[in-house]
Amino acid sequence: MITKNKSKSIKFLEKAAGRTLTLNALLESLRLSEELSQSDFSKKLKISSSHLCDIEKGRKVISPERAAKFAAILKRSPEQFVKLCLQDMLDNLGLKMKITVSAG
């Protein structure tokens, strides 16, 4: 879950994805905001389009390492991608904890 005090960019991305911001939703929002097909976006991320579809739909979970790689490819904040990845893992386990990530 995201805090109640959401930034404009997070609200925009949630609106584009039509759901709460998770790493899956973030990737889908970025793809949609760039008006790319899953095929084109998956090529950019160097994964198959079926794998991207599974990630976007929440059927596949990616590692924090892969989340950081995706952030680098997309020229986005690796801290945000890793934070969302780890938060998704905790949420899926039903653990009521919040993740904070900072660069070391």
Side-chain angles (χ1 to χ4, degrees), residues 85-102:
C85 174
L86 294 170
Q87 190 63 59
D88 291 347
M89 290 176 176
L90 289 178
D91 291 347
N92 289 337
L93 292 170
L95 298 173
K96 304 287 184 196
M97 298 177 185
K98 294 289 180 199
I99 292 290
T100 56
V101 174
S102 61

Side-chain angles (χ1 to χ4, degrees), residues 28-42:
E28 184 178 27
S29 294
L30 292 171
R31 177 178 66 78
L32 294 172
S33 69
E34 293 181 21
E35 298 181 353
L36 293 174
S37 67
Q38 281 184 334
S39 178
D40 290 337
F41 198 62
S42 65

Side-chain angles (χ1 to χ4, degrees), residues 25-65:
L26 175 61
L27 289 170
E28 184 178 27
S29 294
L30 292 171
R31 177 178 66 78
L32 294 172
S33 69
E34 293 181 21
E35 298 181 353
L36 293 174
S37 67
Q38 281 184 334
S39 178
D40 290 337
F41 198 62
S42 65
K43 286 176 189 169
K44 192 174 192 176
L45 295 176
K46 300 176 183 152
I47 60 173
S48 71
S49 56
S50 63
H51 189 63
L52 175 61
C53 182
D54 285 340
I55 292 168
E56 286 185 358
K57 300 300 179 198
R59 295 185 294 258
K60 297 273 181 168
V61 177
I62 64 171
S63 69
E65 179 183 24

Side-chain angles (χ1 to χ4, degrees), residues 10-22 24-26 28-30 32:
I10 289 175
K11 287 179 184 178
F12 172 81
L13 292 170
E14 286 183 341
K15 185 176 180 181
R19 57 186 169 176
T20 300
L21 191 61
T22 61
N24 307 355
L26 175 61
E28 184 178 27
S29 294
L30 292 171
L32 294 172

